[in-house]
Short mmCIF file of all heavy atoms in Angstrom, two decimals:
data_model
loop_
_atom_site.label_atom_id
_atom_site.label_comp_id
_atom_site.label_asym_id
_atom_site.label_seq_id
_atom_site.Cartn_x
_atom_site.Cartn_y
_atom_site.Cartn_z
N ALA A 179 20.80 12.55 18.79
CA ALA A 179 20.89 13.60 17.77
C ALA A 179 21.26 14.97 18.34
O ALA A 179 21.74 15.83 17.60
CB ALA A 179 19.56 13.71 17.03
N THR A 180 21.04 15.19 19.62
CA THR A 180 21.19 16.53 20.19
C THR A 180 22.58 17.15 19.99
O THR A 180 22.67 18.33 19.63
CB THR A 180 20.81 16.53 21.68
OG1 THR A 180 19.42 16.22 21.80
CG2 THR A 180 21.06 17.88 22.32
N PRO A 181 23.70 16.43 20.20
CA PRO A 181 25.00 17.08 19.98
C PRO A 181 25.17 17.67 18.57
O PRO A 181 25.59 18.82 18.43
CB PRO A 181 25.99 15.93 20.22
CG PRO A 181 25.29 15.04 21.18
CD PRO A 181 23.85 15.07 20.76
N LEU A 182 24.81 16.91 17.54
CA LEU A 182 24.92 17.44 16.18
C LEU A 182 23.84 18.48 15.89
O LEU A 182 24.02 19.35 15.04
CB LEU A 182 24.86 16.31 15.16
CG LEU A 182 26.19 15.59 14.94
CD1 LEU A 182 25.99 14.32 14.13
CD2 LEU A 182 27.19 16.51 14.24
N ASP A 183 22.73 18.40 16.60
CA ASP A 183 21.68 19.40 16.44
C ASP A 183 22.17 20.76 16.94
O ASP A 183 21.88 21.79 16.33
CB ASP A 183 20.43 18.97 17.21
CG ASP A 183 19.22 19.84 16.89
OD1 ASP A 183 18.87 19.95 15.70
OD2 ASP A 183 18.63 20.40 17.82
N VAL A 184 22.92 20.75 18.04
CA VAL A 184 23.52 21.98 18.56
C VAL A 184 24.48 22.58 17.53
O VAL A 184 24.43 23.78 17.24
CB VAL A 184 24.25 21.72 19.88
CG1 VAL A 184 25.03 22.95 20.33
CG2 VAL A 184 23.26 21.30 20.97
N ILE A 185 25.35 21.73 16.97
CA ILE A 185 26.32 22.20 15.98
C ILE A 185 25.61 22.74 14.75
O ILE A 185 25.97 23.79 14.20
CB ILE A 185 27.28 21.06 15.59
CG1 ILE A 185 28.06 20.60 16.82
CG2 ILE A 185 28.22 21.51 14.49
CD1 ILE A 185 28.82 21.70 17.52
N LYS A 186 24.59 22.04 14.29
CA LYS A 186 23.81 22.47 13.11
C LYS A 186 23.24 23.88 13.35
O LYS A 186 23.37 24.76 12.50
CB LYS A 186 22.68 21.49 12.83
CG LYS A 186 21.74 21.94 11.73
CD LYS A 186 20.47 21.12 11.73
CE LYS A 186 19.59 21.40 12.92
NZ LYS A 186 18.95 22.75 12.85
N SER A 187 22.60 24.07 14.49
CA SER A 187 21.97 25.36 14.77
C SER A 187 23.00 26.47 14.85
O SER A 187 22.77 27.59 14.38
CB SER A 187 21.19 25.27 16.09
OG SER A 187 20.12 24.35 15.98
N ARG A 188 24.16 26.18 15.43
CA ARG A 188 25.19 27.20 15.56
C ARG A 188 25.79 27.57 14.20
O ARG A 188 26.06 28.75 13.94
CB ARG A 188 26.29 26.72 16.51
CG ARG A 188 25.78 26.64 17.94
CD ARG A 188 26.86 26.37 18.93
NE ARG A 188 26.32 26.66 20.26
CZ ARG A 188 27.02 27.13 21.28
NH1 ARG A 188 28.31 27.37 21.12
NH2 ARG A 188 26.45 27.36 22.44
N MET A 189 25.98 26.59 13.36
CA MET A 189 26.51 26.89 12.02
C MET A 189 25.50 27.66 11.20
O MET A 189 25.86 28.54 10.41
CB MET A 189 26.90 25.59 11.33
CG MET A 189 28.07 24.88 11.98
SD MET A 189 28.62 23.42 11.08
CE MET A 189 29.42 24.20 9.67
N GLN A 190 24.22 27.38 11.40
CA GLN A 190 23.18 28.09 10.67
C GLN A 190 23.07 29.54 11.11
O GLN A 190 22.72 30.41 10.32
CB GLN A 190 21.84 27.37 10.84
CG GLN A 190 21.77 26.05 10.10
CD GLN A 190 20.52 25.28 10.43
OE1 GLN A 190 19.97 25.38 11.53
NE2 GLN A 190 20.03 24.49 9.48
N MET A 191 23.35 29.81 12.38
CA MET A 191 23.27 31.17 12.90
C MET A 191 24.56 31.95 12.72
O MET A 191 24.60 33.16 12.94
CB MET A 191 22.90 31.15 14.39
CG MET A 191 21.47 30.71 14.67
SD MET A 191 20.26 31.78 13.88
CE MET A 191 20.58 33.34 14.71
#
Side-chain angles (χ1 to χ4, degrees):
T180 295
L182 278 169
D183 190 56
V184 172
I185 298 305
K186 174 194 71 70
S187 296
R188 291 189 166 212
M189 293 185 73
Q190 289 173 330
M191 290 300 297

